[in-house]
Amino acid sequence: MGNEQHQKETLYIHKGYQSIEHHDSLSVPLYQTSTFAFETAEQGARRFAGDEAGGIYSRLGNPTVHVLEERMAALEYGEGALAFGSGMAAVSTILVHLTKSGDRILCTRGIYGCTFGFLKIMKEKYDISHDFATLATEEDIEAAIKPNTACIYIETPINPTMEIVDIELITKVAKKHGIPVVVDNTFSSPYLQNPLELGADFVLHSATKYINGHGDVIAGIVVGKKKEDIEAIRFSVQKDYGGIISPFDAWLLIRGLKTLHVRMERHTKNAEDILTFLKSCSLVENIYYPFDEDNPQFNIAKKQMKAGGGLISFTVKGGMKTAQKLMNELGLIKIAVSLGDAETLIQHPATMTHSVVPEIDRIEMGITDGLLRLSVGLENAGDLVEDLKQAFSKC
Ligand SMILES: *Cc1c(COP(=O)(O)O)cnc(C)c1O
């Protein structure tokens, strides 16, 4: 019984699992095992030779993890997926897979802090360099590609300024040069944006965020357009680097995925209500939200995203002093990094997620001392607006 013809919302709940193969268990069983027992020596030999399907050792594959991978591949319209023990294990594995000594990686300005840290390691230890460029027009992209550019690595919306990068435009130019494109899709989740459909070769997620959605797992996912690429990574870099996910964390992600579509719609609706409030607030200077009609990039956002999602950044008058005062006056909204949880979280990028970025680069990226990033949760929107209102009234 194939279920490929079903819509996304159905696949979130059913893809890659048949109860009949698991003692009729409705819920995907948790195979919390490190290894698998072979019936005979010959069977073990066949499994190692790849002549027979079945378990060998959980670093090479696990039935619970396998359901998660099949489901994620379907949700991102890829042929295969790999699950990892963190978003950074996913990032580092794909970048190691796509490069060799002497290569360059082309990135948009503004990438996740630890991805930047990993690029630094690659450059200092292995002679794999990187370039940052704006990549807003075809000319920008052509000018940024060098003879030894091995891959293009982008995030959109860019954290925390919510700048949008045109995925289709970049993949179109990259194809002319035969360069693979990797998109970190963490901020949108597979429900709002599907980079493989827009021409990318790999899409990755910090599954810690919206995919899990409950703030209790660190995990990562890579989805590939081609099955053979994913299987090549599974039996080389992933196996030998070893950044795999635990079966229990995979089980929690399967549980989280079942409500992804419902959660994303509520995150978005709550964010829209907060956007309306922030626009009426005299202490707010700038607001950054993909689906804000005043956003100059609204058209690109609409072209590639289903909705604006749950992240809003904004700057307050009075810089750091007001920003910190506002955070301290909040009650319901928690001060924490991470995003995509049921709880609404606020953080101050200049002193938290982006404190490692030198000030001059930070300002150029638009991360000023008055900038705050809200990850809007699933609480009652009125309660969230009330909390912001009372905190602003004290600033
Ligand atoms: C959190 C995050 C990561 C890293 O993921 P971890 O699960 O924390 O390792 C990578 N990219 C983006 C955009 C993130 O938000």
Side-chain angles (χ1 to χ4, degrees):
M1 188 187 79
N3 42 29
E4 288 72 19
Q5 73 276 23
H6 290 139
Q7 299 298 313
K8 259 185 174 182
E9 293 82 350
T10 307
L11 298 178
Y12 287 167
I13 297 165
H14 294 283
K15 178 70 189 175
Y17 182 68
Q18 305 292 349
S19 300
I20 196 165
E21 294 167 6
H22 300 272
H23 299 285
D24 307 318
S25 174
L26 173 71
S27 156
V28 176
L30 168 56
Y31 289 91
Q32 188 74 16
T33 184
S34 54
T35 197
F36 298 84
F38 308 129
E39 254 173 64
T40 62
E42 290 77 7
Q43 182 183 50
R46 284 197 300 278
R47 293 216 178 151
F48 267 89
D51 296 336
E52 180 187 300
I56 297 175
Y57 184 68
S58 277
R59 182 154 39 74
L60 310 181
N62 171 285
T64 309
V65 175
H66 190 70
V67 174
L68 171 67
E69 291 175 340
E70 267 211 47
R71 214 162 269 187
M72 279 305 307
L75 301 188
E76 284 288 13
Y77 304 100
E79 288 179 3
L82 300 162
F84 293 87
S86 71
M88 284 317 303
V91 171
S92 53
T93 298
I94 192 70
L95 288 177
V96 166
H97 170 72
L98 291 173
T99 57
K100 60 180 189 321
S101 180
D103 283 346
R104 305 188 77 87
I105 300 166
L106 174 58
C107 304
T108 38
R109 264 181 231 293
I111 53 167
Y112 185 71
C114 296
T115 303
F116 182 73
F118 185 68
L119 290 178
K120 228 170 123 217
I121 295 173
M122 301 263 276
K123 183 173 173 182
E124 287 167 5
K125 300 188 73 148
Y126 306 111
D127 188 32
I128 298 165
S129 301
H130 51 267
D131 299 291
F132 289 108
T134 304
L135 309 183
T137 65
E138 194 159 341
E139 294 71 44
D140 286 347
I141 306 165
E142 287 287 1
I145 292 175
K146 299 187 175 161
N148 55 345
T149 299
C151 71
I152 299 179
Y153 184 97
I154 61 174
E155 285 178 27
T156 179
I158 294 177
N159 179 27
T161 51
M162 305 307 287
E163 194 183 320
I164 308 292
V165 178
D166 188 333
I167 301 172
E168 211 167 10
L169 177 70
I170 291 177
T171 60
K172 195 183 88 184
V173 181
K175 273 203 175 59
K176 277 199 257 169
H177 297 265
I179 300 171
V181 176
V182 182
V183 181
D184 180 338
N185 202 28
T186 302
F187 268 40
S188 300
S189 88
Y191 185 63
L192 298 183
Q193 180 171 279
N194 297 113
L196 300 186
E197 294 273 277
L198 301 166
D201 301 274
F202 294 97
V203 53
L204 66 87
H205 290 273
S206 166
T208 310
K209 317 292 167 55
Y210 287 113
I211 290 175
N212 176 52
H214 293 73
D216 46 19
V217 172
I218 301 275
I221 300 279
V222 169
V223 183
K225 190 173 238 169
K226 296 205 190 96
K227 180 100 183 158
E228 59 261 33
D229 288 339
I230 288 298
E231 294 312 310
I233 301 170
R234 186 190 303 283
F235 295 107
S236 62
V237 185
Q238 189 190 37
K239 169 174 77 74
D240 298 341
Y241 257 51
I244 53 130
I245 195 170
S246 82
F248 180 56
D249 286 351
W251 186 84
L252 285 170
L253 293 189
I254 291 167
R255 179 181 163 119
L257 267 182
K258 290 186 188 186
T259 55
L260 179 67
H261 50 304
V262 183
R263 288 187 282 111
M264 290 317 291
E265 296 209 345
R266 179 57 77 89
H267 282 301
T268 299
K269 163 114 196 12
N270 281 357
E272 285 166 356
D273 286 2
I274 288 178
L275 176 70
T276 305
F277 165 71
L278 291 175
K279 286 194 162 205
S280 73
C281 202
S282 59
L283 270 178
V284 172
E285 264 173 348
N286 300 303
I287 305 174
Y288 306 100
Y289 186 68
F291 272 44
D292 176 2
E293 282 168 18
D294 299 329
N295 178 354
Q297 293 187 304
F298 185 30
N299 278 337
I300 312 174
K302 256 198 318 203
K303 192 175 76 157
Q304 61 193 27
M305 296 173 75
K306 187 186 172 89
L311 286 153
I312 302 185
S313 294
F314 59 97
T315 55
V316 290
K317 287 179 192 153
M320 172 106 78
K321 203 159 161 273
T322 314
Q324 289 187 327
K325 170 89 174 145
L326 181 75
M327 293 170 91
N328 290 335
E329 293 297 344
L330 289 166
L332 177 62
I333 297 172
K334 305 296 173 212
I335 306 171
V337 296
S338 198
L339 57 106
D341 295 335
E343 297 83 359
T344 297
L345 309 178
I346 193 164
Q347 68 111 351
H348 183 241
T351 59
M352 294 179 184
T353 51
H354 292 69
S355 55
V356 292
V357 181
E359 189 175 349
I360 182 153
D361 296 333
R362 207 166 34 76
I363 303 297
E364 204 205 326
M365 286 158 73
I367 305 170
T368 57
D369 288 347
L371 183 76
L372 289 162
R373 187 192 76 190
L374 260 181
S375 168
V376 180
L378 303 175
E379 301 95 335
N380 176 279
D383 288 342
L384 295 172
V385 168
E386 272 314 307
D387 194 28
L388 284 164
K389 203 179 274 177
Q390 65 78 25
F392 270 114
S393 76
K394 294 177 185 140
C395 290

